[in-house]
Amino acid sequence: MIEFDNVTKQYDDGTVAIEDISFEVEEGTTTVLVGPSGCGKTTTMKLVNRLIEPTEGTVYFEGTDIEQKDEIELRRDVGYVIQEIGLFDHMTVRENVATVPKLKGWDDDRIRERVRELLELMDLPVEEYGDQHPTELSGGQRQRVGVARALAADPDVMLMDEPFGALDPITRAELQDEFLDIQAELDVTILFVTHSVEEALKMGDRIAIFDVGELVQYDTPQNVLENPKNDFVRDFIGQDRELKKLQVTPVRKVMYETNGERLPDVDPVAPSDTAQIALSRLLETDAGRLPVARDGEVVGVVEEADLRGTSDPTRGSI
Amino acid sequence: MVSAPPELALVPLLEIALAPLGIFEELPGAYDFITSNWSQFLHHLWTHIKLVLVSELLAILVAVPLGIAATRFPRAKPTIKGFGNTAQTIPTLAIIFLMLPVTGIGFVTAVAGLFVYALLPILTNTIAGIEDVEDGVVEAARGMGMTDTEVLRKIELPKAIPVIFAGIRTSSVIGVGTAYLAFFVGGGGLGTWVLQGIKLYNMEMAIAGAVPGALLAITLDSGFALLERYLGGDAQQSDDLVSA
Ligand SMILES: Nc1ncnc2c1ncn2[C@@H]1O[C@H](COP(=O)(O)OP(=O)(O)OP(=O)(O)O)[C@@H](O)[C@H]1O
Ligand SMILES: [Mg+2]
């Protein structure tokens, strides 16, 4: 849906922010750009809504060179959450969220309905928060308004530049989870920037790992973890690679059928829980194995060897 | 912020200079002078208000668009700022005497002098107010698909309003003081009584002209603060800027 074709960006002062980058963001997926500060993530993202023009190479949007597109139209069709949130403090929360629909000339009723719906979704009921100014909100609430504003005109593509940066870890994790839920319901292609590997692994269908100015590896989270392309990627992932693997693996993928055997009487895990949670539970209970249950009904079993990936091949995999 | 021009100092200085002569003892006399010359007083006051408001309005009409232009066209900015600074450094009297051959003696010449003098605070603050809008906010607005005009109208100007109004308020207070000089070119105003009073050693008359000027300055300042609130600005913010 969005394709970077040998794109280079050199700023006027001579800084080469990105050099010869090629990758494609597939429709309906979340692609995360991750890398150290100053490696060119924001630059790459701004090429998509033409806040920056490439020095060399081409960016395609649904097969069309974006330079052929009207930049104002393009931007109104692409949701944008800027790195510093960039809320309009002189407007109310309601007016902030209504910005793009208004620019697009939606009628008032439709805008009102959409704003209500989005603020509801973001857990900021319009009756309570609609007429407040962003300065009256907490950091987490401001981030939510930023996301709601970007989603307002039903964009097909969202650019999110460290949307949950500058938040405490708990609020951050909460917003990530909420956003994953929301995203599952929306049919939207997302380009997401972060400098945190954990966030990248959690949010991304695909991850683009940047070193200064270059794209080092573009792959699924699993593949990045299993086959890091070089030492830079290995270092970037960190020492706890195995734990991170568990973090991106759902229990569903490693569990086995029960053969009616007796299962230990411990709290079950859900198929959608991460393998990391299963491991933690195993360490807690020393039961050796855990039931996996969906809606109270046992659907499988998981043991330590399954998490390690060395389980008995004769057992029935699901 | 812009430092007060020498003329502004005229009113308070005059009062300080007159204080040892017993300004407070003269106040009741000045009050009587006003009441017994009521229609003349209203005439001078009204002329004074017109001088300030007309020159101020013209200055706003010129300085705000110029300030906006300076932020749109970075290359024109030094020229525009230079223009404002030059206008400020020419003494009001010099402007007035330059204008004399063209517009003759009277209201128009006085307004012209006041106008030139009122430009700089408004111009500087318009530029500063727009430039002070956070880059992130402007970038967000552009990224959401606002055209340059929309960014200016919906984001930059509303955010700059407190700063622009601080400039207007500063400039109008200065204008009230400077308008005392209008008398010299036959522009009338409260200066008539002050300067005649001094000349005739009639302190009651001089004070009857000076004190209402101070009240007028305060009234105008509050008036613009009200207007600003009406326009949706945060007058408290520009209060802070004015007194800063
Ligand atoms: N407008 C600009 N003019 C000149 N150089 C720039 C400009 N914007 C960014 N750069 C430089 O380009 C490089 C990449 O910047 P970019 O903002 O894309 O990094 P980033 O990966 O988003 O970093 P961060 O994680 O800190 O946000 C940096 O060296 C930066 O200093
Ligand atoms: Mg960045």
Side-chain angles (χ1 to χ4, degrees):
Chain A
M1 180 158 206
I2 302 165
E3 192 185 343
F4 285 77
D5 188 16
N6 301 103
V7 179
T8 296
K9 174 63 192 182
Q10 178 169 25
Y11 285 106
D12 293 341
D13 65 359
T15 315
V16 179
I18 52 169
E19 194 162 13
D20 203 19
I21 302 266
S22 298
F23 70 100
E24 190 178 345
V25 180
E26 280 165 39
E27 188 162 351
T29 64
T30 299
T31 293
V32 181
L33 309 179
V34 62
S37 189
C39 67
K41 307 181 295 290
T42 298
T43 302
T44 307
M45 174 164 282
K46 285 183 188 167
L47 285 163
V48 178
N49 60 3
R50 291 189 60 190
L51 285 174
I52 293 175
E53 303 286 345
T55 317
E56 270 169 56
T58 318
V59 182
Y60 295 97
F61 187 91
E62 291 172 328
T64 321
D65 178 352
I66 56 163
E67 304 219 21
Q68 309 292 322
K69 289 184 166 272
D70 178 76
E71 58 180 6
I72 299 296
E73 295 290 318
L74 175 74
R75 289 175 191 158
R76 289 177 187 180
D77 289 338
V78 173
Y80 184 38
V81 186
I82 187 182
Q83 193 161 357
E84 307 88 30
I85 320 179
L87 291 184
F88 306 140
D89 288 341
H90 62 293
M91 297 181 186
T92 62
V93 166
R94 189 199 305 271
E95 288 165 339
N96 265 279
V97 178
T99 307
V100 182
K102 243 186 224 157
L103 290 172
K104 288 188 136 191
W106 287 17
D107 65 57
D108 289 351
D109 287 343
R110 186 168 170 213
I111 294 179
R112 196 171 315 117
E113 200 36 54
R114 181 65 180 154
V115 169
R116 159 178 305 279
E117 183 186 14
L118 275 170
L119 287 178
E120 211 71 56
L121 192 68
M122 290 292 155
D123 215 15
L124 296 167
V126 73
E127 294 79 13
E128 196 176 335
Y129 295 98
D131 294 323
Q132 295 203 8
H133 283 262
T135 42
E136 300 167 69
L137 303 179
S138 72
Q141 292 170 330
R142 290 170 64 86
Q143 302 266 11
R144 286 165 206 259
V145 176
V147 173
R149 185 175 68 171
L151 283 169
D154 279 321
D156 294 331
V157 174
M158 287 267 279
L159 306 177
M160 308 179 77
D161 197 349
E162 307 204 19
F164 310 133
L167 287 180
D168 64 90
I170 295 174
T171 315
R172 180 180 247 240
E174 253 173 42
L175 279 182
Q176 288 169 343
D177 290 337
E178 282 172 26
F179 190 71
L180 283 173
D181 288 347
I182 291 167
Q183 184 207 344
E185 286 167 33
L186 305 167
D187 185 24
V188 57
T189 307
I190 298 169
L191 191 58
F192 191 107
V193 164
T194 178
H195 55 247
S196 140
V197 198
E198 284 77 12
E199 190 167 59
L201 293 171
K202 183 170 176 181
M203 307 302 286
D205 297 313
R206 290 293 198 93
I207 300 180
I209 299 178
F210 280 70
D211 193 354
V212 181
E214 62 170 325
L215 175 56
V216 184
Q217 186 168 5
Y218 183 50
D219 224 325
T220 60
Q222 281 79 8
N223 276 342
V224 167
L225 289 169
E226 274 159 28
N227 309 303
K229 190 158 174 184
N230 60 19
D231 287 344
F232 173 80
V233 177
R234 210 165 289 125
D235 287 348
F236 196 68
I237 295 169
Q239 302 277 331
D240 55 350
R241 189 152 66 100
E242 288 305 319
L243 283 179
K244 284 182 173 134
K245 249 193 249 177
L246 295 179
Q247 195 188 330
V248 300
T249 312
V251 167
R252 177 172 21 88
K253 283 214 175 147
V254 290
M255 69 185 191
Y256 285 85
E257 276 176 351
T258 54
N259 319 321
E261 75 244 57
R262 269 205 56 216
L263 292 173
D265 187 19
V266 293
D267 282 345
V269 288
S272 58
D273 282 339
T274 64
Q276 198 181 30
I277 289 178
L279 176 65
S280 169
R281 200 66 63 74
L282 278 171
L283 294 174
E284 242 168 61
T285 59
D286 66 37
R289 48 206 296 188
L290 287 176
V292 181
R294 184 188 288 124
D295 302 327
E297 190 193 333
V298 174
V299 292
V301 59
V302 64
E303 1 183 294
E304 196 197 310
D306 303 334
L307 300 177
R308 204 194 285 280
T310 56
S311 43
D312 177 359
T314 60
R315 286 203 303 164
S317 155
I318 296 177
Chain B
M1 204 77 14
V2 191
S3 64
E7 285 87 341
L8 175 64
L10 192 76
V11 179
L13 263 186
L14 198 64
E15 287 170 7
I16 292 164
L18 295 179
L21 305 176
I23 182 173
F24 292 112
E25 282 131 59
E26 302 287 357
L27 277 179
Y31 180 76
D32 290 340
F33 188 88
I34 289 175
T35 46
S36 49
N37 297 284
W38 186 242
S39 67
Q40 210 190 345
F41 170 73
L42 284 186
H43 174 72
H44 289 323
L45 179 66
W46 179 231
T47 311
H48 207 96
I49 293 174
K50 274 197 296 188
L51 282 169
V52 176
L53 284 186
V54 173
S55 58
E56 196 64 27
L57 199 70
L58 289 174
I60 294 172
L61 288 178
V62 172
V64 172
L66 262 187
I68 293 172
T71 61
R72 301 296 101 170
F73 308 103
R75 270 193 288 165
K77 197 166 92 183
T79 320
I80 294 176
K81 278 192 158 172
F83 166 77
N85 284 321
T86 314
Q88 189 76 8
T89 49
I90 307 172
T92 317
L93 283 176
I95 296 167
I96 286 174
F97 288 124
L98 278 174
M99 290 288 295
L100 267 180
V102 189
T103 49
I105 280 206
F107 185 78
V108 177
T109 309
V111 164
L114 289 171
F115 157 76
V116 172
Y117 222 64
L119 285 174
L120 186 68
I122 307 178
L123 183 66
T124 329
N125 281 34
T126 304
I127 296 175
I130 293 178
E131 284 182 346
D132 283 354
V133 178
E134 308 88 307
D135 292 344
V137 171
V138 173
E139 180 136 274
R142 297 214 306 128
M144 293 166 81
M146 287 194 193
T147 61
D148 289 345
T149 325
E150 282 163 344
V151 173
L152 178 67
R153 233 184 42 219
K154 298 185 179 204
I155 308 294
E156 292 176 309
L157 277 183
K159 294 206 98 176
I161 274 200
V163 187
I164 297 177
F165 262 85
I168 294 175
R169 288 165 66 179
T170 306
S171 148
S172 67
V173 170
I174 295 174
V176 171
T178 315
Y180 276 88
L181 300 176
F183 170 72
F184 287 121
V185 286
L190 294 168
T192 318
W193 276 3
V194 174
L195 294 156
Q196 274 180 359
I198 291 172
K199 206 160 102 191
L200 304 172
Y201 289 103
N202 182 343
M203 282 313 128
E204 288 169 0
M205 188 182 193
I207 293 168
V211 173
L215 299 179
L216 177 60
I218 295 169
T219 313
L220 271 185
D221 189 48
S222 321
F224 278 117
L226 275 179
L227 179 64
E228 179 187 350
R229 204 160 288 149
Y230 173 75
L231 288 176
D234 177 1
Q236 182 56 47
Q237 205 178 333
S238 75
D239 277 344
D240 299 343
L241 291 167
V242 170
S243 47

